[in-house]
Amino acid sequence: MHWFYDPTFSAESSKVRVDEVQHFKSLRIREGEGLVVTDGRGGVFLCEAANPGTGEVRVQSLEHKAPETLQIQLIQGIAKGDRDELALQASVELGCTSVVAWQAEHSVSRWTGKEDKNRERWQQIAIGAMKQSRQAFLPEISGPLSTAALRPLGHGIILDPTAELSLAELDREFASYSIVVGPEGGISDSEIDQLKRAGFVSYRLGDAVMRTSTAGPAAIAALKTMRGLW
């Protein structure tokens, strides 16, 4: 059953928003076909397509999902190409609850003058990942932030392949975690010092050095597994 996103949808709604109608067409939704609409805030509406061409639906039931008990924030270094976007997409599918774009020292790509455009692109990627993974909460996308502006949400984690502590040694009692992932050039020593002064702690993900597109999702998967959520 396909999922759709409409932040204005309610039990009294009879249509999905216009941009989702295009997805009706691309997915070849047929009259009478079952589908799900989420408002991105925990509302899950089971619907039946009444007129796929216009986005008309009939609401059949409503379920309110509870928020995640474990809040995971991804602080993703802006990277060239689509590597940061791949990290964003996978992290949302894996259940991160918020994402911060980080303009790191070694970020080749710069958002200067294009902040709103790029943030909206990340938002659309997050929406697609939320629908793909059939989740009812849309992660908040914020930034870009400088290193000086970063603060941990709960326990702060710096993914650093040279760290003394392994992620397996992580304190598992926190309700929230922030995971900092550097861009393709890594995190500079001065940035690590600055982040540690802000309350973050360095951890390594085993012995492998991962790409910026891989490290965040791997840490999220490991964290959720360690906490018994999977």
Side-chain angles (χ1 to χ4, degrees):
M1 189 176 293
H2 295 293
W3 279 52
F4 298 87
Y5 168 65
D6 185 342
T8 65
F9 205 81
S10 71
E12 290 72 42
S13 296
S14 59
K15 279 187 177 183
V16 296
R17 62 179 185 167
V18 173
D19 53 349
E20 288 295 73
V21 175
Q22 299 303 316
H23 294 160
F24 273 37
K25 295 176 181 178
S26 64
L27 293 169
R28 298 182 180 179
I29 299 296
R30 298 180 180 180
E31 183 177 347
E33 183 174 344
L35 56 96
V36 171
V37 180
T38 180
D39 58 10
R41 300 185 300 276
V44 177
F45 302 84
L46 179 61
C47 303
E48 180 181 84
N51 187 334
T54 61
E56 292 182 64
V57 299
R58 289 183 288 269
V59 178
Q60 297 181 320
S61 65
L62 166 61
E63 179 182 1
H64 288 287
K65 297 284 189 179
E68 292 281 350
T69 55
L70 182 65
Q71 300 291 300
I72 302 177
Q73 179 185 72
L74 173 69
I75 301 176
Q76 175 64 48
I78 295 171
K80 65 182 179 180
D82 62 352
R83 290 176 182 173
D84 50 12
E85 295 177 356
L86 290 171
L88 165 65
Q89 181 180 39
S91 295
V92 173
E93 290 180 8
L94 291 169
C96 77
T97 50
S98 62
V99 181
V100 177
W102 172 34
Q103 194 70 75
E105 183 180 323
H106 291 162
S107 292
V108 174
S109 178
R110 296 281 160 176
W111 280 19
T112 306
K114 302 177 290 184
E115 291 88 351
D116 290 345
K117 177 182 177 181
N118 286 315
R119 191 164 46 246
E120 175 60 24
R121 177 170 173 78
W122 277 32
Q123 187 71 74
Q124 292 304 314
I125 292 170
I127 289 171
M130 176 189 67
K131 294 192 295 184
Q132 170 66 35
S133 55
R134 300 183 179 184
Q135 299 187 71
F137 288 90
L138 179 63
E140 178 186 1
I141 308 295
S142 59
L145 296 184
S146 65
T147 305
L150 297 180
R151 295 293 182 274
L153 176 67
H155 187 58
I157 299 168
I158 307 168
L159 294 184
D160 177 5
T162 66
E164 292 183 8
L165 291 174
S166 166
L167 198 63
E169 300 173 78
L170 182 72
D171 187 332
R172 305 179 191 183
E173 300 305 315
F174 288 89
S176 304
Y177 294 87
S178 292
I179 301 172
V180 179
V181 180
E184 57 271 53
I187 306 174
S188 71
D189 291 341
S190 62
E191 286 175 322
I192 289 178
D193 290 342
Q194 195 169 6
L195 289 168
K196 286 182 176 179
R197 288 195 298 271
F200 291 88
V201 180
S202 290
Y203 295 90
R204 68 180 186 278
L205 275 170
D207 296 324
V209 177
M210 298 185 185
R211 292 181 183 271
T212 187
S213 55
T214 309
I220 292 170
L223 184 55
K224 297 191 81 170
T225 301
M226 287 191 295
R227 291 293 294 267
L229 298 175
W230 285 3

